[in-house]
Amino acid sequence: MPTIEQSIDVDVPVTTVYNQWTQFESFPQFMGGVESITQLDDTRTHWRTKIGGVEREFDAEITEQHPDERVAWKSVDGKTHAGVVTFHRLSDTTTRIMVQIDWAAESLTEKVGAVVGVDDAQVKGDLKRFKEFIEARGTETGAWRGDVS
């Protein structure tokens, strides 16, 4: 099972970064291959993706969420994957975002892509685009401050 680990420092306070990250429906603005995300309830989302010409739909469940600290999830149908995003206050105006994703490569193309680092490059690019998105705005588009244990 491939594991992706990436991090980036963002010049925005941790609360702003965390609040924006909880706005899952905004992910298509900075995540490559994500067509749409629909928030079904406080802990469930429905994703539509198109990566390398392959379209997929799946639901994911938030398994743990603590404001300004972490969001963890797992898929509940479709492709097997799970992950966690953690938020680290470096200063009053700087936050480190760390992402870890574990997923099951199914096709030969996915297995080769994992070996040569295509998935790592995708997440690195997504984080870079998130950094540009939130730094340009300077404020979040919304927030969900609920706690999921």
Side-chain angles (χ1 to χ4, degrees):
M1 180 175 280
T3 296
I4 303 164
E5 293 180 340
Q6 290 290 332
S7 66
I8 196 165
D9 293 349
V10 179
D11 293 324
V12 179
V14 69
T15 297
T16 303
V17 172
Y18 173 85
N19 287 347
Q20 184 60 52
W21 198 273
T22 65
Q23 301 307 291
F24 304 111
E25 293 182 349
S26 73
F27 281 14
Q29 295 178 56
F30 55 84
M31 281 191 178
V34 176
E35 298 283 311
S36 69
I37 299 175
T38 305
Q39 184 90 35
L40 302 174
D41 59 34
D42 286 347
T43 61
R44 293 183 321 119
T45 55
H46 180 77
W47 294 60
R48 283 189 32 240
T49 63
K50 186 175 182 181
I51 301 171
V54 177
E55 294 183 25
R56 288 201 168 96
E57 290 192 42
F58 61 90
D59 290 340
E61 176 184 22
I62 296 167
T63 58
E64 184 180 9
Q65 184 167 339
H66 306 294
D68 300 340
E69 294 178 16
R70 67 190 296 119
V71 177
W73 73 92
K74 68 177 181 178
S75 61
V76 293
D77 66 357
K79 180 184 285 271
T80 302
H81 71 276
V84 62
V85 178
T86 57
F87 307 89
H88 306 269
R89 180 187 177 278
L90 300 180
S91 73
D92 288 346
T93 59
T94 306
T95 303
R96 178 166 294 149
I97 305 169
M98 300 181 76
V99 176
Q100 180 181 331
I101 302 171
D102 298 312
W103 63 285
E106 296 169 357
S107 70
L108 178 60
T109 303
E110 290 174 338
K111 291 174 184 175
V112 170
V115 169
V116 299
V118 171
D119 48 354
D120 283 300
Q122 179 67 50
V123 172
K124 185 175 186 174
D126 291 344
L127 284 174
K128 182 178 180 223
R129 287 185 293 277
F130 177 80
K131 173 183 173 71
E132 293 165 354
F133 175 84
I134 194 64
E135 287 180 354
R137 288 187 53 82
T139 188
E140 62 270 33
T141 61
W144 190 75
R145 306 288 298 171
D147 194 80
V148 177
S149 295

